Structure formats: structure tokens, C-alpha cells
Amino acid sequence: MLNQTELYYFSPTGGTKKAGRIFCDGIAKEIKEINLGKKVKETSQPESDLIVVAAPVFAGRIPEITTEKLKKMEGKGKKAVTLAVYGNRAYEDALLELNQTLEGQGFQIVASAALVAQHSMAPEVGQGRPDEMDKKSILDFSRRVLEKVETGTHDIIKVPGNYPYKEGMDMRVTPLSLPACSQCGICEKICPTDAIHIENGAVVTSPEKCILCMACTSACPEHARILPPPLQEKMEQKLGALKNIRRENEFFL
Ligand SMILES: Cc1cc2nc3c(=O)[nH]c(=O)nc-3n(C[C@H](O)[C@H](O)[C@H](O)COP(=O)(O)O)c2cc1C
């Protein structure tokens, strides 16, 4: 076991953090969590010899706000394990993008994984994941990563994906607030891109800033923050067939 590691994560609805935490619990006694979804512009610099970076997959890519934060980090040859967490559809170029970003910052990628979590836009897809079976496979991966680190093996990691990466998402649609909204301000506070403001007794969302990450819909205590019903229906139609399909985690080391 390592004495300590740092888990850098962006996890609007909790799945990425959950998967990242399972992995970290398998490799280190002490885990410092750094939430890349906070509104602060700075990113704290890594202290541990090996850090873990976990990011969700949005449209087969890493969300731009995460990449921007990672580009402020200085690797200085430190080791990193990367985890791209996706909603049981596909991770496409996301893991490659995550690795190339961190390599560009001077990190040495020792292992990577594409892990499945519940789809944050269509919760019946990948429902309940990561589950007990995932936990077992992630912990087995963590043991293999520890072995690799301890024996000092330097195999180069090759992950799927293409460069130039596929086009990211640019939907200009935002979640909306239902009349049940009590204007408690939680959505405004939690929004990682500062897209939400309560103005003159109404919740106003900027389509230019919103990345549809679902942090607000997931955090709303009244369940009054939802995707516009036509978009919700479209997502369910697009992803419905994946309800009965189980994609397995993939590990690279
Ligand atoms: C805007 C958006 C785009 C997404 N794109 C994909 C995708 O391309 N492939 C996929 O399998 N899951 C996709 N998902 C699902 C998320 O990757 C998955 O639910 C992830 O666990 C979300 O992380 P979180 O629980 O930490 O918020 C998408 C989710 C959102 C909100």
C-alpha cells in the first residue's frame, strides 16, 4: 500500500468520485480528495508520488472545464493513474484525451481504466454502477497497479481513442426549474461553470455557460430541476437499448 495519494476528480452526480474512491482505497492508506468541479480557478499542485485523476465522459470526450484545470497542474515526472468514467454507452476518445493532457503536463501515466457508472442523463442505463462486481474488478486492478509501481516496470500505456478527437458537445440547452423550486440556491452554489443565478425571484441559467453536467438536477432537494422533457425523451430513446447491456470495465497497464 502507498502511504498517500491524491484523487483529482470532477463528478457532477457522484459516479466518477465513487469509482475513483474504490480504486484509491485499494492503493493508499490516506487519500486527499481534490474536487475539480469547484468554481475556484486555481488547481492545487500534486504532493504525492502517484496521483489518481478521474473524469466523466461527456460525448466521448473529457469535459473542457476539467481539461482546463488539468492544464494548470505540473507533473514534474510524478506518476498518474487515469480513470475515464462513462455511462455504459462508449468512452470513445476520452481516455486518450485525458492521458495526452496529463502527459503534456509532465505526468508519467502508469495505468489507465475506463470504468462504468450509472448514466447521469438516463439513470436506467448502467443503473447502480459501479456495483459489487465493479468493485471487485477495480480492486483487482488496484492490486496490479501497486505491483507495477513497486516493481518499477515502465511499460508504456496504450489506450483506445483517436486524435484529432471527436467533436465535443455543444447543445445550448439547459435544465429548467419547475414551480416546486423553493429557490434555496443549492443549484446556483453547486454549478461548476457558474451558469445559474437566482435573479428577481427566478432561476436563470446561461445556455452559453451550462455544460449539462447534471450537477444541479442531482443536487436539487425538491427534485424541481429537470432536463427539458423533449431532451429527456430524446436521451431515453437514444440510450434505451443500452438498459439491458452490461459493458465491462477496461484496464490498461
Ligand atoms: C452531458 C453528458 C454527456 C455524456 N456523454 C456520455 C458518453 O458519451 N458516453 C457514455 O457512456 N456516457 C456519457 N454520459 C454519462 C456519464 O459519462 C456518466 O454518467 C458519468 O458517470 C457521469 O459522472 P458523474 O456521476 O461523476 O457525474 C454523459 C453524461 C452527460 C451529463
Side-chain angles (χ1 to χ4, degrees):
M1 273 290 216
L2 304 174
N3 279 331
Q4 67 158 48
T5 191
E6 285 148 273
L7 172 60
Y8 285 83
Y9 68 92
F10 176 45
S11 188
T13 71
T16 306
K17 184 178 177 191
K18 189 175 170 196
R21 192 63 213 208
I22 295 170
F23 174 75
C24 288
D25 284 338
I27 60 159
K29 291 182 208 146
E30 197 192 313
I31 298 144
K32 190 175 157 196
E33 295 178 351
I34 298 107
N35 181 357
L36 298 172
K38 288 228 169 112
K39 284 192 234 272
V40 288
K41 290 228 160 49
E42 310 77 49
T43 308
S44 74
Q45 294 302 325
E47 291 161 8
S48 320
D49 296 333
L50 181 149
I51 66 155
V52 180
V53 180
V57 175
F58 283 7
R61 297 283 306 275
I62 297 298
E64 215 174 301
I65 58 159
T66 306
T67 304
E68 276 168 18
K69 292 249 172 105
L70 297 177
K71 284 191 172 165
K72 293 191 176 137
M73 287 169 70
E74 292 173 23
K76 297 182 178 161
K78 283 183 188 290
K79 297 182 179 70
V81 176
T82 50
L83 310 174
V85 182
Y86 72 108
N88 202 52
R89 186 188 69 78
Y91 60 94
E92 295 165 306
D93 301 334
L95 191 53
L96 179 68
E97 181 180 14
L98 186 57
N99 284 5
Q100 290 185 335
T101 302
L102 288 169
E103 279 163 357
Q105 296 308 113
F107 287 93
Q108 179 202 340
I109 312 293
V110 290
S112 299
L115 305 175
V116 179
Q118 182 163 302
H119 201 295
S120 48
M121 279 182 158
E124 288 183 345
V125 176
Q127 197 160 38
R129 298 187 70 187
D131 57 18
E132 282 306 306
M133 255 170 84
D134 292 316
K135 193 173 169 188
K136 237 175 124 239
S137 76
I138 297 170
L139 286 175
D140 181 57
F141 171 60
S142 65
R143 273 189 293 275
R144 288 160 57 210
V145 172
L146 273 185
E147 255 172 50
K148 181 173 178 181
V149 171
E150 278 157 14
T151 55
T153 326
H154 290 296
D155 292 348
I156 304 289
I157 302 299
K158 189 159 174 11
V159 299
N162 295 304
Y163 183 82
Y165 313 127
K166 70 184 288 255
E167 280 289 308
M169 217 181 53
D170 189 10
M171 291 233 258
R172 303 285 155 118
V173 182
T174 76
L176 51 88
S177 296
L178 298 171
C181 167
S182 65
Q183 296 177 14
C184 67
I186 289 177
C187 56
E188 183 177 28
K189 202 165 151 228
I190 204 166
C191 175
T193 61
D194 209 19
I196 305 175
H197 291 284
I198 298 180
E199 287 168 17
N200 306 322
V203 180
V204 180
T205 313
S206 157
E208 284 77 32
K209 288 186 178 173
C210 175
I211 56 165
L212 276 177
C213 73
M214 310 300 282
C216 58
T217 60
S218 155
C220 177
E222 331 287 348
H223 306 289
R225 189 86 180 151
I226 60 164
L227 280 183
L231 176 60
Q232 186 68 56
E233 269 166 41
K234 200 174 140 197
M235 294 313 295
E236 275 161 23
Q237 266 171 19
K238 188 177 160 211
L239 300 167
L242 296 168
K243 272 186 218 165
N244 305 317
I245 291 175
R246 183 184 177 92
R247 301 235 191 275
E248 291 305 339
N249 301 318
E250 290 173 52
F251 303 106
F252 307 91
L253 79 175

